[in-house]
């Protein structure tokens, strides 16, 4: 079984996201093992992109900060390699297709294997285009994570059937970012997924409080939180470790209490 | 071959949330493409509202001065709203209306596409919101006010480099959050399928008219067609008719800004590499890690780091050539055409005129060169004055 799927085995998963290299590589390098110890089950590391079309303003600005401070794909691979000496938590890179394509998909995959990356989320690589990356991912045991959105409807079973690792369920229309309410009937979407596959489903986009994380985890197998953490990184800079650790604990507790 | 592909280029590289919207658009487009009623209404709008066909003007003084090929100007600048953009916009906004949408959104660089979209939305009673890089709202302030006069809401985009590519990002983000009642009216032959094909189809009337008009005047095909290329819609519109005519040389003029070896340029085919961005695989100006480069051109409409996927294919297979033209060459051509023919071209179109100034003298006198004059230059007068260090007071 894939290491990514394994992360959902013992409990409802809490999946934090951080933009790699925000504000600098050494902060991200400390954050990841700290979040793993504080109750994360799987961690998404964003490779910053100049034009993150699926992101709201919080992650856009994080990408800008990281790039401005010299973050590159190679530096993140090297960082992951060092992190792997401290934690074996499943790690996923989240980025856009261009940084992968331009790096060279084979070379990118070789480095994922070398450094210990377990999965990839590429928001601008929908089902129709995924084949140019899916085969090479499969050959290297790197899960290419698929997404479903509130607009997916009749596409859900097609996507779910070929999903790897877990299925990323987008909670709402629009881009990433904190939302006060999640209006989509996400439970219905997940029911449709479970009709065709037993792959774990995690919900992301707009989750920022322990209560939201709890209620999303009830509906699914886990909760993904990005912008709320990136906001803490933006606020505290290289001093963000403690606030993010506390936040991670709160979210973990929110999920446990709901479950 | 896969859907929406031009060789390896094109595709639909967009978030899952938008897939439904582009598939719905594709379905509607395929349907109305063969709908006599829709085609009749569009033809009527193009003729009686946009004033097509646009003139094919014999530039006699320019021809005499250059002492080479006979130069014709395809006068897209004479269309209603002042550029070729109206051809595509009337098609897409009419389509939006037939799809039951009540709101259109669009990106704009120089403001020409935004003005055209605001115009068509006013005509067809649709709500309209335009996203425009903050830097462009400043260098094209007049067009911002024009859009507002037409009833559109203009959002200055402050993310990223605050120019055209960032306006596209922001319009895509907006569409992701609201697509039920909204169509994204994309301004060029770029973005995810079906846009590159659909926009080309709405623009191919340019080349069709060139063929007919030249047949009437000269009884033959042109020897060369020259057009400026940002995303590439006026060029694709002018070229498409002639792709299957190997005797017709097709030349796209890219914005080389301060020079194609200076980082401040936007010459995508000259300097770019293959990548995936804004929904398509094509050539982009980018670094070795796939970060999109900030590009630059004096002309806001060409200030874009990519090019439509069909152009990428034409460049690879050699059917069209793409040449860099600098700011200073474009400004010289802007002044040249103004004085020589009494026609002030858009700075975008001036890039094509600039290359024609080099090409025509190298051609035989019995040959014909057609320049696609994609837009008029009124909007650029202030920018050219600034470039020349002249201060204007209004």
């Amino acid at each position: 079984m894939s290491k990514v799927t394994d992360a959902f085995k013992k409990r409802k998963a809490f999946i934090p996201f951080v933009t790699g290299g925000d504000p600098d590589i050494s902060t991200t390098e400390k954050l990841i093992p700290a979040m793993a110890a504080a109750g994360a089950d799987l961690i998404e590391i964003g490779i910053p992109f100049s034009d993150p079309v699926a992101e709201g303003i919080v992650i856009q600005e994080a990408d800008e900060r990281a790039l401005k401070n010299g973050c590159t794909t190679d530096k993140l691979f090297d960082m992951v390699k060092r992190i792997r000496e401290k934690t074996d938590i499943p790690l996923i890179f989240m980025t856009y297709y261009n940084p992968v394509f331009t790096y060279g998909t084979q070379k990118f995959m070789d480095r994922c294997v070398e450094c210990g990356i377990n999965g990839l989320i590429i928001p601008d690589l929908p089902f129709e285009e995924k084949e140019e990356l899916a085969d090479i991912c499969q050959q290297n045991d790197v899960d290419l994570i698929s997404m479903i959105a509130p607009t997916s409807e009749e596409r859900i079973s097609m996507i779910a059937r070929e999903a790897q690792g877990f299925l990323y369920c987008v909670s709402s229309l629009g881009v990433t970012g904190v939302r006060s309410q999640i209006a989509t009937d996400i439970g219905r979407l997940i029911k449709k997924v479970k009709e065709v596959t037993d792959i774990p489903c995690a919900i992301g986009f707009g989750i920022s409080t322990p209560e939201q994380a709890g209620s999303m985890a009830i509906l699914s197998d886990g909760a993904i939180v990005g912008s709320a953490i990136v906001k803490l990184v933006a606020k505290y800079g290289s001093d963000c470790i403690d606030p993010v650790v506390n936040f991670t604990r709160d979210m973990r507790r929110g999920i446990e209490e709901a479950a | 071959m896969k859907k929406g592909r031009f060789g390896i280029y094109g595709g639909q590289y967009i978030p899952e949330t938008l897939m439904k919207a582009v598939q719905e658009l594709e379905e509607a487009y395929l349907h109305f493409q063969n709908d006599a009623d829709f085609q009749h209404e569009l033809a009527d709008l193009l003729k009686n509202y946009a004033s097509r066909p646009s003139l094919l003007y014999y530039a006699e003084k320019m021809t005499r001065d250059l002492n080479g090929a006979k130069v014709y100007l395809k006068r897209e600048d004479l269309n209603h709203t002042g550029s070729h953009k109206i051809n595509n916009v009337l098609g897409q906004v009419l389509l939006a209306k037939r799809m039951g949408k009540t709101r259109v959104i669009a990106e704009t660089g120089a403001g020409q596409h935004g003005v055209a979209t605001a115009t068509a939305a006013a005509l067809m009673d649709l709500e309209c919101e335009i996203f425009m890089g903050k830097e462009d709202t400043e260098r094209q302030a007049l067009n911002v006010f024009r859009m507002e006069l037409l009833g559109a809401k203009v959002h200055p985009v402050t993310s990223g480099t605050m120019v055209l590519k960032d306006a596209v990002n922001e319009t895509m983000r907006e569409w992701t959050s609201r697509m039920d009642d909204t169509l994204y009216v994309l301004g060029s032959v770029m973005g995810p399928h079906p846009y590159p094909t659909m926009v080309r189809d709405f623009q191919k009337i340019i080349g069709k008219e060139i063929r007919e008009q030249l047949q009437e005047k000269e009884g033959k095909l042109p020897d060369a067609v020259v057009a400026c290329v940002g995303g590439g819609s006026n060029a694709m519109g002018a070229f498409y008719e002639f792709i299957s005519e190997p005797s017709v040389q097709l030349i796209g003029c890219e914005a080389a800004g301060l020079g194609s070896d200076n980082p401040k340029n936007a010459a995508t085919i000259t300097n770019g590499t293959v990548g995936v961005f804004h929904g398509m695989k094509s050539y982009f100006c980018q670094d070795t890690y796939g970060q999109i480069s900030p590009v630059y051109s004096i002309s806001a409409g060409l200030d874009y780091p990519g090019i439509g996927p069909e152009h990428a294919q034409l460049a690879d297979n050699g059917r069209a050539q793409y040449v860099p033209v600098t700011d200073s060459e474009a400004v010289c051509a802007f002044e040249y055409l103004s004085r020589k023919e009494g026609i002030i071209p858009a700075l975008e179109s001036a890039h094509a005129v600039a290359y024609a100034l080099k090409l025509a003298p190298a051609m035989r006198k019995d040959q014909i060169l057609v320049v696609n004059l994609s837009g008029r230059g009124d909007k650029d007068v202030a920018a050219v004055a600034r470039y020349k260090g002249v201060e204007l007071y209004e």
Side-chain angles (χ1 to χ4, degrees):
Chain A
M1 191 185 260
S2 97
K3 214 172 162 216
V4 173
T5 309
D6 269 353
F8 295 83
K9 246 171 139 179
K10 57 179 200 293
R11 58 183 183 183
K12 302 268 185 180
F14 174 59
I15 307 171
F17 164 94
V18 286
T19 296
D22 170 33
D24 48 46
I25 297 275
S26 75
T27 303
T28 310
E29 193 168 344
K30 283 179 226 152
L31 261 181
I32 288 166
M35 288 191 295
D41 300 288
L42 171 69
I43 296 174
E44 292 179 13
I45 305 167
I47 299 178
F49 181 48
S50 54
D51 298 84
V53 175
E55 312 300 345
I57 189 72
V58 172
I59 296 177
Q60 285 175 43
E61 287 177 355
D63 283 16
E64 269 177 41
R65 280 194 299 273
L67 290 171
K68 207 170 131 233
N69 292 339
C71 181
T72 65
T73 308
D74 277 319
K75 286 182 186 170
L76 287 177
F77 272 124
D78 294 342
M79 177 198 78
V80 169
K81 204 172 171 180
R82 293 192 298 271
I83 287 173
R84 272 290 170 240
E85 293 167 11
K86 294 179 194 147
T87 172
D88 65 351
I89 190 168
L91 295 174
I92 289 182
F93 266 156
M94 173 151 182
T95 191
Y96 289 77
Y97 189 42
N98 202 43
V100 178
F101 178 85
T102 303
Y103 196 88
T105 46
Q106 183 63 58
K107 193 175 145 206
F108 192 92
M109 211 52 60
D110 290 347
R111 293 228 65 197
C112 284
V113 172
E114 178 204 339
C115 303
I117 284 291
N118 307 102
L120 289 180
I121 302 174
I122 316 275
D124 60 348
L125 199 68
F127 183 84
E128 280 73 1
E129 304 293 351
K130 81 179 167 79
E131 68 180 37
E132 61 184 272
L133 197 58
D135 287 350
I136 189 169
C137 279
Q138 200 149 20
Q139 286 157 21
N140 291 283
D141 285 328
V142 172
D143 288 329
L144 182 59
I145 310 299
S146 297
M147 302 176 101
I148 60 165
T151 50
S152 297
E153 295 296 342
E154 59 278 10
R155 299 167 50 79
I156 290 178
S157 47
M158 164 183 91
I159 295 167
R161 217 168 282 132
E162 294 187 20
Q164 307 269 315
F166 75 95
L167 199 61
Y168 190 131
C169 304
V170 175
S171 73
S172 333
L173 296 180
V175 293
T176 56
V178 171
R179 287 168 174 78
S180 56
Q181 267 191 321
I182 292 168
T184 313
D185 185 358
I186 192 94
R188 199 175 55 86
L189 298 184
I190 289 172
K191 206 169 147 254
K192 279 186 125 170
V193 173
K194 300 290 185 183
E195 280 167 15
V196 295
T197 171
D198 55 3
I199 196 156
C201 293
I203 303 174
F205 279 42
I207 303 173
S208 62
T209 65
E211 294 71 31
Q212 281 176 322
S215 60
M216 290 300 121
I218 290 175
L219 294 173
S220 67
D221 304 298
I224 304 166
V225 175
S227 297
I229 294 172
V230 172
K231 265 188 166 173
L232 291 174
V233 177
K235 186 172 172 192
Y236 295 101
S238 51
D239 297 325
C240 67
I241 314 295
D242 286 345
V244 171
V245 162
N246 291 336
F247 180 84
T248 303
R249 288 204 184 104
D250 289 346
M251 297 306 268
R252 179 79 257 162
R253 200 176 309 123
I255 292 171
E256 296 305 326
E257 280 167 9
Chain B
M1 200 167 66
K2 274 176 75 176
K3 217 171 52 173
R5 291 278 174 174
F6 306 91
I8 64 164
Y9 303 107
Q12 285 181 314
Y13 299 89
I14 49 169
E16 171 62 22
T17 308
L18 280 178
M19 283 306 291
K20 186 185 163 195
V22 296
Q23 288 180 341
E24 183 192 26
L25 174 62
E26 181 189 10
E27 230 168 81
Y29 176 61
L30 291 175
H31 172 76
F32 287 112
Q33 201 177 24
N34 301 310
D35 180 278
D37 198 39
F38 177 89
Q39 291 302 335
H40 179 80
E41 193 174 348
L42 179 57
D44 182 66
L45 283 169
L46 288 170
K47 177 164 184 251
N48 295 308
Y49 188 69
S51 102
R52 298 208 74 86
S54 67
L55 298 176
L56 185 69
Y57 167 74
Y58 171 43
E60 196 177 347
K61 281 180 71 196
M62 192 175 162
T63 300
R64 219 180 306 138
D65 183 53
L66 298 175
N67 199 29
K70 227 171 157 176
V71 178
Y72 279 89
L73 305 176
K74 180 60 173 165
R75 299 289 308 276
E76 292 297 302
D77 60 316
L78 295 178
N79 297 338
H80 181 41
T81 72
S83 80
H84 72 291
K85 294 288 187 189
I86 194 78
N87 306 330
N88 165 46
V89 156
L90 286 173
Q92 280 195 57
V93 176
L94 189 59
L95 193 59
K97 185 120 183 149
R98 294 291 184 105
M99 289 169 75
K101 306 291 183 193
T102 55
R103 176 175 175 260
V104 289
I105 54 174
E107 85 294 345
T108 196
Q112 295 303 92
H113 176 60
V115 167
T117 306
T119 299
L123 179 70
M124 296 185 220
D125 283 319
L126 297 178
E127 214 183 310
C128 177
E129 291 184 38
I130 303 294
F131 294 81
M132 184 171 187
K134 186 163 174 288
E135 191 179 306
D136 292 336
T137 61
E138 282 157 13
R139 48 180 176 173
Q140 299 289 351
L142 199 61
N143 268 344
V144 174
F145 193 66
R146 284 170 82 192
M147 288 183 266
E148 287 168 351
L149 271 177
L150 292 159
K153 183 157 193 249
V154 180
H155 301 274
V157 173
T158 54
S159 60
T161 47
M162 303 191 213
V163 291
L164 179 54
K165 87 167 163 83
D166 311 285
V168 175
N169 292 348
E170 221 44 53
T171 318
M172 285 177 85
R173 289 182 185 124
E174 172 63 24
W175 203 26
T176 310
S177 70
R178 185 171 163 187
M179 59 200 91
D180 269 3
D181 64 349
T182 300
L183 182 69
Y184 180 0
V185 174
L186 225 158
S188 194
V189 286
M190 44 158 286
H193 176 68
Y195 287 105
T197 302
M198 179 175 71
V199 176
R200 177 252 280 155
D201 286 350
F202 286 139
Q203 291 292 2
K204 69 186 180 191
I205 191 166
I206 301 172
K208 247 186 153 111
E209 287 178 7
I210 293 174
R211 182 196 281 265
E212 286 166 13
Q213 290 164 324
L214 206 58
Q215 188 60 39
E216 199 174 294
K217 290 174 197 288
E218 301 278 349
K220 57 180 185 174
L221 288 170
D223 295 280
V225 177
V226 179
C228 66
V229 188
S233 71
N234 91 78
M236 211 57 238
F239 291 175
Y240 191 66
E241 178 74 15
F242 302 109
I243 290 176
S244 57
E245 301 284 0
S247 70
V248 183
Q249 204 187 346
L250 305 174
I251 302 152
C253 303
E254 303 192 302
L258 302 185
S260 51
D261 47 4
N262 184 302
K264 296 198 87 166
N265 78 83
T268 311
I269 297 285
T270 307
N271 289 326
T273 52
V274 178
V276 177
F277 182 46
H278 281 163
M280 58 182 172
K281 188 175 281 178
S282 189
Y283 282 93
F284 296 97
C285 297
Q286 56 181 334
D287 71 12
T288 51
Y289 285 107
Q291 307 295 347
I292 303 301
S293 305
V295 291
Y296 163 81
S297 163
I298 189 174
S299 126
L302 303 183
D303 199 349
Y304 182 69
I307 188 168
E310 197 165 7
H311 284 294
Q313 185 189 33
L314 293 177
D316 275 10
N317 68 23
R319 181 61 194 93
Q321 281 79 50
Y322 295 84
V323 296
V325 174
T326 63
D327 279 4
S328 79
E329 291 171 318
V331 171
C332 283
F334 181 92
E335 295 179 310
Y336 176 92
L337 199 68
S338 300
R339 292 191 190 165
K340 191 61 75 183
E341 292 288 349
I343 297 170
I344 303 178
L347 267 176
E348 290 78 14
S349 322
H351 285 71
V353 175
Y355 191 71
L357 296 181
K358 292 185 197 169
L359 183 61
M363 291 171 71
R364 294 193 316 267
K365 288 192 171 178
D366 62 339
Q367 289 186 305
I368 294 167
L369 166 61
V370 175
V371 181
N372 194 30
L373 210 67
S374 55
R376 67 173 178 229
D378 311 43
K379 68 179 174 63
D380 295 312
V381 170
V384 171
R386 263 198 307 277
Y387 182 84
K388 296 180 67 75
V390 178
E391 289 204 38
L392 294 182
Y393 299 96
E394 286 175 54

